Amino acid sequence: MKKQDMNRDWIATAATLSSALPYLQRYDGAIVVIKLGGHAMGSDEAMDTFARDVVLLRQVGVNPVIVHGGGPMINAMLDKLEIKSEFVNGKRVTDKATMNVVEMVLSGVVNKRIVQAINRQGGMGVGLSGKDANLITCDQTNPDLGFVGTPADMDPSVLHHLFEKDMIPVIAPIGSGRDGETFNINGDTAAGAIASALAADRLLLLTDVAGVKNGDGEVVTELKATDVEDMTRSGVIAGGMIPKTETALQAVRNGVRACTIVDGRVQNSVLLELFTLHGAGSMIRPD
C-alpha cells in the first residue's frame, strides 16, 4: 500500500483552488481580451506559461481573445532584409516594403508561434488578423506615417463563432483600408478596439512595468477614469504609460467593464489578476 503524505504544498494548492471559486463563477461566460507583449513573448518558457494560463481560462468557461504585438521581431527582420526606415517625429514611416514585412512577421511568424503554444497546451488556437472576415476596417492615421491605421469599423461576428466552438482567437494587429489597403495598427489600440466591439468584460494589457504609479512611485491598484486624466494632466502618468492609459480610457468608456495594465513579468499574472483578490496590476474602471 502507498502511504498518503499530505504535503503542505498540496494543501495550499487545494486552498487556492477553493478560494478561486467566486472568481470562477464571476467570469463564467465572460469575454476577456488580452494584449500580449513584452516579457511574456520573450522566451519559449514564458510563452508556454502564458499559453497554459489561456487554455485554463477557456477550460473554466472564459472566452479569451489574444491580440499580440511583435515590434522587436519586425525590427530584426527589417534589419536582416536591409530595409531602411524613415522616421517622422520619432515614429516609423510604414511604406509598402515595410508593410509587407510587418504583415509577414505579425500574421506569420509571431501569430503562429502563439497559436502553436496554445495548441501544445491542449487548447484550440486559431490565428487571424484584422483583415479576416472584415474584423477591423481602418482609416489612415496620418498620411505622413504611411500605412499606419486607426480602427474605424469593427465586425466581431467571426469571434463569436469561434467562441461557440471553444476556440481561442489569436489576432495580429493588421487591418484593411476602405480601398483594399493593408494597415499596421498599434497592438494596444487594436486590442482596445476589439474589446470595445465585443463589449468585453475585461481588457488586460500585459506590459513590463508593475502598473500605474502615483507621485510617490507606488503602484495604484485601482483607478477611476477621472483619476487617470488628473494624473496625466499633472504629469504623474507620462512617457510610455500614456498610450496604454489612453487605450484603457477609451475602452472603458466604450462599454468594456474594466481594463487592467498587468505586470506580464509576474508568472501566471493573468490568473492572478482574474482569479485572486490580490490582482497583478492597475485596474481602470469607468467613473
Side-chain angles (χ1 to χ4, degrees), residues 27 32-41 45-54 56-57 66 202-211 260-283:
Y27 289 105
V32 175
V33 177
I34 305 169
K35 163 58 193 339
L36 175 61
H39 176 82
M41 295 179 66
E45 182 181 1
M47 181 66 75
D48 285 341
T49 297
F50 172 79
R52 187 163 54 250
D53 290 352
V54 168
L56 189 151
L57 292 182
I66 314 305
R202 295 289 295 278
L203 170 61
L204 306 182
L205 302 177
L206 267 63
T207 186
D208 284 348
V209 297
T260 305
I261 297 171
V262 177
D263 189 349
R265 299 169 300 178
V266 176
Q267 190 170 12
N268 307 117
S269 57
V270 170
L271 301 184
L272 284 169
E273 175 57 31
L274 294 178
F275 297 145
T276 72
L277 181 63
H278 178 268
S282 299
M283 179 186 292

Side-chain angles (χ1 to χ4, degrees), residues 33 67 135-138 150-156 159 185-200 203 205 247-248 250-251 254 256:
V33 177
V67 182
L135 175 58
I136 306 176
T137 301
C138 292
T150 299
D153 295 326
M154 308 290 297
D155 183 357
L159 304 181
I185 311 167
N186 174 274
D188 290 341
T189 301
I194 290 167
S196 298
L198 289 167
L203 170 61
L205 302 177
T247 294
Q250 188 169 11
N254 284 336
V256 177

